[in-house]
Amino acid sequence: MSSRTEITVTVLNKNGLHARPSSVLAEAALRYPDTLITVCRKGTAVDAKSIMELLMLEAACGTELTVVADGPRAQEALDELEALFEKEFNLKL
Amino acid sequence: MPLSPYCKPKAVLPDLQVSDKDDAIRQLVGALVTARVLKKPVAAAVLDEILAREGQATTGIGHGVGIPHARSEHVEKIVMAFGRVDEGVDFGAVDGERVRVIVMLISPKAKNDEHLAAMKAIVKIVRDPYQCKRLHGCRTPESFMDLIGELDGTPAK
């Protein structure tokens, strides 16, 4: 059973998707080894499992991103990642 | 974003002898003072900020590169330092590799977009296997400055 699904999220962190939130996001995505997860900004699509790739998005606060998941646990992965964006990656002081 | 305006030869230490990660970061902050891009009275505070950030999660992003960094109220523009440790130093990196190249970045707290842009410019070099290898091969401040100068303005692959 494979399914491809996507969501749109907004970066809410004041400092944008910098190294710390990127690492939290990548760690979460890595918990879905059998699911391909991609984060897209305009024409750029990067692997959600790589901090380096996520940093290439240069996503500041307010940036809209599309997260695409393809795999057996696609929906579950997107639910988890969406919650992370909403909770500002649990980094809010 | 071009990085060369923020790199100074005196803040490039291509032959660091270090006892551990904190020691490496301390020496690079010292180099920023020597290069006159960081004022001596704030050096200790900036060092604390970088070490505090490092304490939250490793900046060892892989491929033998560490990018210790901080957003600080003590700088008015971005300052960068570069260090190379021949035998490598343990950064607890994401891929478990020892860090041999350290690119340190301190950004003004108020200029978050610049911080993200500088980070992207650094990562752009590191993620490209060929350029990353060249970065690892910079054994003099001049070769580092030349490489950064050459890569400034190269479009992202």
Side-chain angles (χ1 to χ4, degrees), chain B residues 27-49:
Chain B
Q27 291 192 46
L28 287 171
V29 170
L32 289 173
V33 175
T34 308
R36 295 176 178 275
V37 286
L38 191 66
K39 293 190 183 88
K40 200 171 182 182
V42 302
V46 169
L47 175 64
D48 284 348
E49 286 168 340

Side-chain angles (χ1 to χ4, degrees), chain B residues 51-102:
Chain B
L51 294 179
R53 164 62 186 87
E54 203 63 38
Q56 294 174 348
T58 181
T59 60
I61 55 171
H63 305 322
V65 179
I67 48 166
H69 59 271
R71 278 192 189 77
S72 177
E73 281 167 2
H74 302 294
V75 294
E76 280 160 18
K77 58 174 196 166
I78 283 176
V79 294
M80 288 178 62
F82 170 82
R84 198 175 152 280
V85 188
D86 230 359
E87 69 276 24
V89 55
D90 184 12
F91 254 67
V94 290
D95 60 357
E97 247 190 78
R98 284 172 80 78
V99 162
R100 290 186 169 76
V101 167
I102 302 167

